[in-house]
Amino acid sequence: MESRVHVVGGGVIGLACAWELSRNGHAVTLVSPAPGRDGAAWVAAGMLAPVTEAHFGESALTALLLEGARHWPSFARALEETSGRTIGYDTTGTVTVALDASDRASLDDLLAYQHSLGLVAHRRSASECRRLVPALSPALRGGIEVPGDHQVDNRALLGALLEGCRRAGVAVVEARVEALEAGPVLVLADGRRLGADHVVLAAGTGLPTIEGLEGAGLPAVRPVKGHILRLGPAPGAGERVLERTVRGLVHGRSVYLVPRRDGSVVVGATAEERGDDTGVRVGAVHELLCDARAIVPALDELELVEAASGLRPATPDNTPRIGWTSREGVLAAVGHYRNGILLAPLTAAAVVDLVGRRPVAPLIQELAPA
Ligand SMILES: Cc1cc2nc3c(=O)[nH]c(=O)nc-3n(C[C@H](O)[C@H](O)[C@H](O)COP(=O)(O)OP(=O)(O)OC[C@H]3O[C@@H](n4cnc5c(N)ncnc54)[C@H](O)[C@@H]3O)c2cc1C
């Protein structure tokens, strides 16, 4: 056995780290109140979207996202094999569409930026977009085809990771970590104390609630709220409304529609600075539905199955921190903001290398918190 590692947080980052560490010979304990069933990862859409998530001024982050995407095919294969579960990993591609002339102009600016970074994205007319996605509204002004942006069913992914962890021998403790003490030792909310060789902090927006992290070199992690909807096929419905992810600009607002294999569609998402409030607001649900229907009118036939919100863990520069903190034996894997599902395989691989004291790529070295 290589070493005893405790992972704090059972979202996508903690589970992926626990699974990979265990597969690499470490004795792993995962501590989280409801592993695989809560956090941002539970509500997320599951897009694996380095290109359509490329924002002006974030070229270093885009390079990280592209590297993250490269890890997905082998990660998905290994996880499905070892867990015995399917995770809805889908490489059909993405189309981003514009509703009005000003949205089209914005998409053209975005396309020029994407090309300046060497990203693969193709300008498409309205009729070309409708050939790719027949359910699109005839009123659209064309768009961009991005073949390299994919998706996974995030809830199936969490279930597979949890099962993979169990099969690989990870001990799962359903509890909240209250504090970290030197050692490193975890102090749980029920008073238990767990010592280890290494601790991996992967608590998402719960990080600031853990006592004893002052001076560890960690960034301020703040919650960015996202409303998101799940629409299901009406009973007896025939074909799927969508077969590939559609993103859109609707009078300047962004919306996305992510289809699942069972005919359901995930519609998201707002980005709101409201502290740790997770209430679901009528106005946000209304806006998402209006924008989604403007792009794909056939959504009217689906059922509204779930309206939810989640908290993305964001750092001041929107970039995650992965690496050793200034506390002996304590690693961080936090702050994945909008792209934690995409970055989970890359993060887990980096954590395995760091725990094994192996060198990591410069791209990862730059993310070290301390
Ligand atoms: C609406 C929405 C849509 C999104 N869509 C996408 C997408 O399409 N693609 C993508 O890549 N990303 C997406 N994201 C972002 C993604 O969900 C996050 O980046 C990712 O979930 C971060 O993973 P995490 O494990 O760090 O945090 P989380 O998934 O939030 O998990 C944190 C875990 O830590 C646990 N925890 C917290 N405090 C403690 C404590 N004190 N002790 C023990 N455990 C603790 C929590 O209970 C939870 O299980 C989306 C997010 C939202 C909100």
Side-chain angles (χ1 to χ4, degrees):
M1 198 60 72
E2 294 250 319
S3 60
R4 284 175 315 148
V5 188
H6 293 347
V7 177
V8 181
V12 70
I13 299 298
L15 283 167
C17 290
W19 177 60
E20 288 288 17
L21 284 164
S22 189
R23 276 161 28 96
N24 280 272
H26 299 284
V28 181
T29 302
L30 179 91
V31 189
S32 197
R37 307 191 301 278
D38 70 355
W42 178 252
V43 301
M47 290 178 296
L48 309 172
V51 177
T52 49
E53 281 292 325
H55 290 257
F56 294 104
E58 291 185 352
S59 57
L61 181 58
T62 299
L64 184 71
L65 301 184
L66 287 168
E67 187 56 27
R70 277 190 274 277
H71 280 65
W72 258 97
S74 58
F75 179 88
R77 215 168 23 249
L79 181 59
E80 289 196 331
E81 265 169 34
T82 59
S83 69
R85 305 262 187 108
T86 54
I87 59 170
Y89 177 55
D90 184 321
T91 58
T92 312
T94 296
V95 175
T96 305
V97 293
L99 187 66
D100 62 26
S102 145
D103 294 329
R104 173 78 258 186
S106 301
L107 279 197
D108 284 339
D109 288 347
L110 185 62
L111 184 66
Y113 177 65
Q114 289 166 339
H115 286 165
S116 76
L117 297 179
L119 303 175
V120 179
H122 311 291
R123 192 179 199 280
R124 298 292 182 226
S125 68
S127 55
E128 286 169 333
C129 288
R130 292 194 75 208
R131 265 199 294 281
L132 291 167
V133 183
L136 287 176
S137 160
L140 298 174
R141 301 297 183 102
I144 303 173
E145 182 189 0
V146 178
D149 277 10
H150 302 147
Q151 64 136 316
V152 66
D153 180 336
N154 52 301
R155 292 183 180 174
L157 168 69
L158 292 172
L161 281 170
L162 198 56
E163 180 60 23
C165 281
R166 291 212 169 100
R167 291 190 184 187
V170 173
V172 177
V173 176
E174 297 209 357
R176 201 177 72 78
V177 172
E178 205 160 71
L180 178 77
E181 293 179 353
V185 174
L186 298 180
V187 183
L188 308 193
D190 59 17
R192 272 180 289 173
R193 299 166 63 80
L194 305 177
D197 300 315
H198 306 297
V199 162
V200 180
L201 297 170
T205 55
L207 185 74
T209 68
I210 300 172
E211 289 169 27
L213 296 179
E214 305 79 19
L218 289 162
V221 174
R222 73 178 198 290
V224 178
K225 180 177 180 177
H227 278 86
I228 190 160
L229 312 174
R230 283 178 157 76
L231 313 182
E239 288 177 4
R240 293 162 73 191
V241 174
L242 292 176
E243 304 226 332
R244 72 178 69 214
T245 297
V246 176
R247 304 184 75 139
L249 269 186
V250 178
H251 307 311
R253 282 195 305 265
S254 296
V255 67
Y256 56 71
L257 295 80
V258 185
R260 299 284 196 244
R261 286 177 185 167
D262 65 359
S264 59
V265 178
V266 181
V267 175
T270 62
E272 306 162 54
E273 304 272 350
R274 287 180 184 259
D276 58 7
D277 166 46
T278 51
V280 177
R281 301 294 154 89
V282 173
V285 173
H286 174 79
E287 197 169 282
L288 285 175
L289 283 176
C290 283
D291 293 349
R293 290 175 69 240
I295 290 174
V296 177
L299 290 186
D300 277 353
E301 297 309 317
L302 302 190
E303 291 188 355
L304 178 57
V305 175
E306 182 184 312
S309 79
L311 303 174
R312 306 173 184 89
T315 60
D317 59 6
N318 296 343
T319 303
R321 298 294 186 280
I322 303 165
W324 294 106
T325 68
S326 48
R327 292 295 162 78
E328 185 65 33
V330 180
L331 271 157
V334 294
H336 292 71
Y337 190 29
R338 300 186 304 257
N339 295 292
I341 311 282
L342 169 60
L343 292 173
L346 168 73
T347 303
V351 165
V352 169
D353 283 340
L354 289 159
V355 167
R357 302 285 175 186
R358 285 185 291 277
V360 289
L363 197 75
I364 299 294
Q365 285 168 25
E366 280 164 23
L367 306 177

